[in-house]
């Protein structure tokens, strides 16, 4: 009951590198059963860049599931980008879930962009000025939605797809002072409450690939500058079965 | 509007009299907020009359833009562009979890 999950994030597509990524996706169906893209699809977050992303990832021989990243919000056109991607047959998670079926195997994917706040013991709290409360509340509300979405999934495997990180492990190499802007422990807490096979994120370009949540869920930072390859492939399932 | 440099950045003109600490912060902010770059992960260090840029971008043109924006914001410094372009290699070995 194995399934192969390809993942990458932070492709930051724009006119200047149009087509460059697409050619690296040739033959993906021989290596993976699904492709997850962990946000920062664009650079400026414009609808034009959204169309470049759609061209780059459309009509692949495997299903494509994405979330948005902070860059994809920069031009206040995130809804239009989501529409463009969906019209191209690309799934976009916004704090909800989807089920990918591959043969007999059902893979549940939960996710959204995630958000900031920091990590246990060194994080912001919902206290004080309204701006600070809104900042932390945004992450908490996202985490609550992911918790519910995971609870509602009855699949062979479960993966969480995010832009922001749930743990510090994969931020190693980033300045510690900016950790609170790279992720939040609330994302990990929600996933640990329900369990998952894998948590995939991007955003931390100077980080490292591998980490784990306090509850034991494997975390992988798939930001392109970290991977330095077109995508990583993670096999979920029993060791005894071939991927 | 969203593609214009924010006014508060344009209003403040850095000078060579400013402490290097604030010049580096201003350049880093410009790299994040200038529509030509929108690069959040570039490290800026000033040592003497040199400004060092480190990090990674997705293309050669973006690497050049990072240096151009930095030079505009601190024209009295020599920009040392140590930013690299991400090389996208073939997908490698899969990992079994």
């Amino acid at each position: 009951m194995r399934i192969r999950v390809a993942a990458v994030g932070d492709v930051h597509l724009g006119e200047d590198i149009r087509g460059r990524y697409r050619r690296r996706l040739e033959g993906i169906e021989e290596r993976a059963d699904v492709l997850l893209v962990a946000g920062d699809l664009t650079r400026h977050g414009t609808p034009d860049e959204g169309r470049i992303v759609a061209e780059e990832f459309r009509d692949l021989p495997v299903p494509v599931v994405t979330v948005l990243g902070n860059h994809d919000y920069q031009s206040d056109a995130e809804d239009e980008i989501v529409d463009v991607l969906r019209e191209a047959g690309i799934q976009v998670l916004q704090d909800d879930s989807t089920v990918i079926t591959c043969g007999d195997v059902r893979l549940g994917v939960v996710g959204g962009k995630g958000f900031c706040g920091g990590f246990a013991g060194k994080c912001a709290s919902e206290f004080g000025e309204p701006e600070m409360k809104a900042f932390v509340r945004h992450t908490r509300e996202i985490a609550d939605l992911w918790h519910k979405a995971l609870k509602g999934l009855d699949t062979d495997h479960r993966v969480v797809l995010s832009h922001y990180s749930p743990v510090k492990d994969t931020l190693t190499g980033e300045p510690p002072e900016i950790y609170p802007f790279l992720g939040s422990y609330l994302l990990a807490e929600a996933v640990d409450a329900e369990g998952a096979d894998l948590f995939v994120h991007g955003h931390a370009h100077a980080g490292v690939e591998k980490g784990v949540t306090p509850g034991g869920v494997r975390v992988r930072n798939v930001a392109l500058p970290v991977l330095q390859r077109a995508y990583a492939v993670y096999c979920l399932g029993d060791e005894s079965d071939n991927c | 509007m969203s593609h214009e440099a924010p006014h508060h950045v344009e209003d403040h003109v850095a000078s060579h009299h400013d402490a290097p600490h604030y010049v580096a912060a201003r350049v880093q902010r410009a790299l994040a907020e200038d529509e030509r770059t929108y690069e959040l992960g570039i490290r800026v260090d000033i040592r003497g009359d040199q400004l060092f840029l480190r990090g990674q971008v997705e293309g050669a043109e973006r690497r050049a833009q990072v240096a151009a924006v930095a030079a505009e914001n601190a024209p009295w410094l020599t920009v040392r562009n140590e930013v690299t372009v991400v090389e996208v290699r073939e997908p490698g070995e899969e990992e079994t979890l």
Side-chain angles (χ1 to χ4, degrees), chain A residues 9-235:
Chain A
D10 305 77
V11 291
H12 290 286
L13 295 174
E15 190 60 49
D16 59 328
I17 56 171
R18 180 195 283 268
R20 195 180 80 153
Y21 191 76
R22 175 83 188 187
R23 60 177 179 262
R24 292 292 187 196
L25 295 173
E26 283 174 16
I28 190 171
E29 71 277 17
E30 292 161 18
R31 298 185 171 101
D33 302 304
V34 59
L35 173 62
L36 308 183
V37 190
D40 274 5
L41 312 169
T42 69
R43 190 184 187 202
H44 300 76
T46 62
D48 280 348
E49 286 182 341
R51 283 184 273 278
I52 293 172
V53 176
E55 289 306 312
E56 210 91 344
F57 288 99
R58 75 182 307 152
D59 301 325
L60 286 177
V62 298
V64 179
V65 183
T66 67
V67 296
L68 300 183
N70 53 319
H71 277 249
D72 307 317
Y73 281 78
Q74 172 62 11
S75 297
D76 301 320
E78 62 275 10
D79 292 340
E80 201 173 330
I81 291 174
V82 168
D83 290 345
V84 165
L85 294 177
R86 286 180 175 157
E87 281 165 21
I90 296 163
Q91 297 191 60
V92 187
L93 294 181
Q94 293 186 293
D95 304 325
D96 52 6
S97 67
T98 186
V99 176
I100 305 289
T101 303
C102 180
D104 297 335
V105 185
R106 293 173 77 242
L107 172 73
V109 187
V110 165
K113 72 176 181 64
F115 198 52
C116 316
F119 300 93
K122 299 177 181 65
C123 59
S125 300
E126 257 183 82
F127 177 84
E129 303 92 320
E131 291 83 358
M132 184 57 82
K133 283 187 278 206
F135 178 75
V136 179
R137 188 184 308 126
H138 184 53
T139 315
R140 183 177 52 77
E141 288 171 351
I142 287 168
D144 287 347
L145 289 169
W146 293 7
H147 191 163
K148 288 192 186 99
L150 277 166
K151 209 177 190 62
L153 275 182
D154 180 19
T155 54
D156 300 301
H157 301 291
R158 299 197 288 196
V159 174
V160 179
L161 176 62
S162 169
H163 183 57
Y164 289 86
S165 176
V167 293
K168 290 190 286 190
D169 298 20
T170 48
L171 306 182
T172 305
E174 296 281 359
E177 296 87 348
I178 68 166
Y179 281 15
F181 308 109
L182 298 175
S184 166
Y185 80 96
L186 293 171
L187 305 177
E189 191 177 34
V191 174
D192 279 344
E194 295 300 327
D197 299 84
L198 172 66
F199 190 118
V200 173
H201 74 89
H203 195 43
H205 294 201
V208 297
E209 183 185 356
K210 296 177 183 177
V212 63
T213 66
V217 174
R218 258 76 65 90
V219 178
R220 295 293 179 265
N221 175 6
V222 295
L224 194 55
V226 172
L227 292 181
Q228 304 246 340
R229 56 192 198 273
Y231 49 84
V233 180
Y234 306 111
C235 295

Side-chain angles (χ1 to χ4, degrees), chain A residues 2 12 16 20 24 31 43-44 46 71 74-75 198 218 220 225 228-231 233-235, chain B residues 3 35-40 56 58 61-62 65 86-92 94-97:
Chain A
R2 302 194 95 191
H12 290 286
D16 59 328
R20 195 180 80 153
R24 292 292 187 196
R31 298 185 171 101
R43 190 184 187 202
H44 300 76
T46 62
H71 277 249
Q74 172 62 11
S75 297
L198 172 66
R218 258 76 65 90
R220 295 293 179 265
Q228 304 246 340
R229 56 192 198 273
Y231 49 84
V233 180
Y234 306 111
C235 295
Chain B
H3 287 169
E35 64 155 343
R36 291 169 293 172
T37 46
Y38 283 165
E39 296 291 349
L40 277 65
Q56 288 187 307
E58 281 76 13
E61 195 180 318
R62 297 182 191 186
Q65 284 166 333
V86 180
E87 197 179 325
V88 182
R89 301 191 304 257
E90 288 289 315
E94 62 199 27
E95 180 189 4
T96 299
L97 299 181

